[in-house]
Structures are given as structure tokens and as C-alpha cells.
Amino acid sequence: MIKDKGLSSILHSVMSNSATVIQDRYYPRWHLAPVAGLLNDPNGFSFDGEYYHLFYQWNPLSCEHKNKCWGHWRSKDLIHWHHQPIALLPDEVYDKDGCYSGSAVIYNEKLTLCYTGNVKFENGDRTAWQCLAVENKQGSFDKLGPVLDLPEGYTGHVRDPKIWQYKANWYMVLGAQNLNKQGKVLLYISSDLNQWCLIGELAGSYIGGLDDAGYMWECPDLFELEKHFILLTCPQGIKKEEERFLNSHPSAYLIGQFSYETLQFQHGPLIELDAGFEFYAPQTTLANGRRLLFGWMGVPDGDEMHQPTIVNGWIHQMTCPRELSIKKGKLYQQPIKELEQLRQNPQYWQGIADHIDSIDYFNVELAIELEVSTLFSIYFSDTMELSINNHQAILKRRSFKNGEWKYRYWSHSVKKLQILVDSSSVEIFFNEGEGVMSSRFFPSEKMTITFSGKNNISLTAWQLSDSI
Ligand code: FRU
């Protein structure tokens, strides 16, 4: 629990570390990252008609998964973000071990947060409360306390409320684990955000045609998109396949139909949302007709604690903001159009990949069209390589822990690539967003991007300006 000295120790940590943090050569130039400490999930992503709000899981005091607060940024354009007062500190008995993830809505004209108060006991057990907090005139948040305790039949792993309004009612999806250690998503309904009624299990392991799909489903998000319904979820413990779900904590979605009358969700199989090395706990919001998404470019696995930024007092970053759409029954993700404002000095090449000059800028966007019949590869300095053959993309990166090469796959044929590079991250969009791979990487020397292959490609490269 961060007690009274919480704010002053946070201030001290931020003031004494932020200069080192932002001078780190791996610190992002146009992605969101913490000014000190550890950042994880995007929370409370919302639009109030004037500002976009993005909150985030934040341990301002160290690079460990502890002391989870809610940091807060806001922006008018999704590109330039401004720090706001810390929104939530774990300083009450019902949230003493962390103000865990949740969402934000406008209720009675006020920005209102719904989050999980996490409480751990000495014997290793835990409990969780779903809690509310409301913005005050100073731009900080007044806690209103718990509105929901643990449902019967579930362990203490019940968290990450995502709430939304439909007609006269409010709905909540909540990540949960039942007593048989099966991951589930629970659906609740309310007329006032205070009294919640459990409808039942919306999806999860052993529901709707799924088999064992993991022991805990974190960070659910249900929304309608172009006449389909999508449920985003993070199925912890889902079985690794040869080329899918290779991260220790993967992120996935179900697509189908949800009925507000029967409150049932019919869906197909689980599909991986991002096939890269670092992507987890995404959250969306609807703003001016667009469904927008931020993800955490991190995964809580053992390897994360070997990232080289820790010595400079910070770890992890967000993805770029993305827009979602549906094409031929599939979910597509693309960087939002506004990011084109960062493009500078366009350069064009056309010809055999082997003959293309290397690119030395640190922050760059590449748009590539290719006809692959033999192998085409892109090398990101000495630590990462993307290879494309006629039916598959393979991303290879050295482990942060022991330097061994590790592999990730997107098994479809690739015709177009859009690649966004920041100081220590790469987001690769295949075929206009049909597939995505998000990964961090830490080049040992200066950044150089080189190409190899015998095929013709056309390439546009832009240097990206700083935004944050
Ligand atoms: C996902 C997660 C959430 C939890 C939060 C705690 O990364 O484990 O389930 O609310 O992180 O920081």
C-alpha cells in the first residue's frame, strides 16, 4: 500500500529519474512510455468529446510489477499527449495491493473510472473489488469505493472491468477464473454503475465450442464493429501451438454475434490478435465512429526483466494507436491516419531488394510492396530479422535473457508491409492490417535497416519526427 508518503516518494522517483530515462537512447520518440518505473496495460481509454484520455498501469517507484497506480495522459489529436495528475494510488484497504486495470466512461457528465482493487493476504490468497472513481475539478479522481465483490464460484482472480452503455443500461465484462482454474469472461448489467447484476459467463474455456483455453482470461473488451461483435481477451495459459500463441501471455479475440436481448455471444475460434514478441492487454474505445486500440508493448514473462532500459530506471511502452475494421469477416488493425503527420523526407526506391541502400534513421516508417517468390529479408541492426517467403512471415529476435534467437510467425502470403520503427520498437502491419507483429528490440550499436532478396520491391521510407 502506498500510504501518505506515496505522492512524495513518487515525486522523488520521477524527479530523480526522469532526466536519465528520457535521455536513454532506447526511449521512444513518438510512442508513450513511463517517465520513470514500469508501465503496463492501457486503461480507461476514452474520448470525452474534446480530449482522448489514456490511463495506464504504472509503478512509478521501480521496474517491478508492484505498487500499481493509474497514470493519466490526455490528448486532443492522439499524437501529442500531456501528463495529467496521477489518477489512482493504491492507498485504501480495498485496493492496497494495486489499482489494477479497468476502463472509463462519461457518467452524469463526469469522467468515471471503473477499476479493480486488488488485495493480497499473507497466506498467498487474494481478493478483488470492482471500484469506481470520479474526476474532480482539479483533474484528479475521488474514489467512490467498491461496487462489486467476488462472485461465488470464482477464485480471487477476477479483474479488469470494461464497461459501456447501450440504450438505458450499463454493461461490464470482467476477466475471471473459476474454482477449477478455467479462464472465463463474466457479463454484468447495471442501470446506474452502482448495483451490478451477474448475467453469467459470456465466453471462456469450455464455452461456445472452445476447449481448455487457459486458466485465466484477463482484460476482456466486447464491442460491435461493422455488424460483428468482437471480444478481445488475454487467455493466460492457452496451449502454445507450433506457430501461434507462442508468448507466455498471448492476446486473442473471438468474432461473432452478441444479442442485447438474450445476452448470449455466439462466436468462432480464438484468433491471435498480434503475432509479435511484445503485445498484451489491449483496450479499445469508440470515438467519432472509429474503434481505436492501444496495446501494451510488453509481456509479463521472465525475459522482460532483462531489458536493457531497466538500468536507466524505466521499462515498457505502449503500441501506436490503431484503428480497427473488419474485412471478409476478419479483424484488421492499422496505424491511425493521424500518424502520417510525423512523416518527413520521403524517399522512394524500386528494384531488386539486394541493391537497396540501408536506412540509418532511428525513427522510420517503411511502406513496401513485394512480389515474393524467393526469400525477402529485412534486418533491424544486429538484433532482429524479418524474413518473408511465399506463404509466411517469420520474425526472429534475440532473447533479452541469453541472446538465443527466438521466432514468431504470421502464416499467410504477404503482399504489402507497413513498418513503424521507434527507438526500440517495431510494429509490422501485413497486407494493410490483416496481420500485425509488435516487438521491442535493442540494437547494440546504431540503428541500421538493411534489405536482402532477389525480387523486385517498391519501397517508400519516411523519417518520423518526435511527437511526445
Ligand atoms: C494484465 C494484468 C491485469 C491486471 C494488471 C495489473 O497485464 O495482469 O490483469 O489488472 O495487469 O497490473
Side-chain angles (χ1 to χ4, degrees), residues 70-82:
W70 277 40
H72 181 192
W73 288 295
R74 73 174 195 189
S75 165
K76 281 199 168 173
D77 61 4
L78 292 163
I79 303 290
H80 302 93
W81 292 89
H82 300 281

Side-chain angles (χ1 to χ4, degrees), residues 40-41 57 65 68 100-101 116 159-160 216 218-219 236 280-281 296 300:
N40 58 303
D41 313 357
Q57 287 286 286
H65 284 279
K68 294 293 173 69
Y100 274 16
S101 286
T116 301
R159 55 178 171 266
D160 311 336
M216 168 66 193
E218 296 188 310
C219 303
Q236 287 187 309
Y280 199 64
W296 171 34

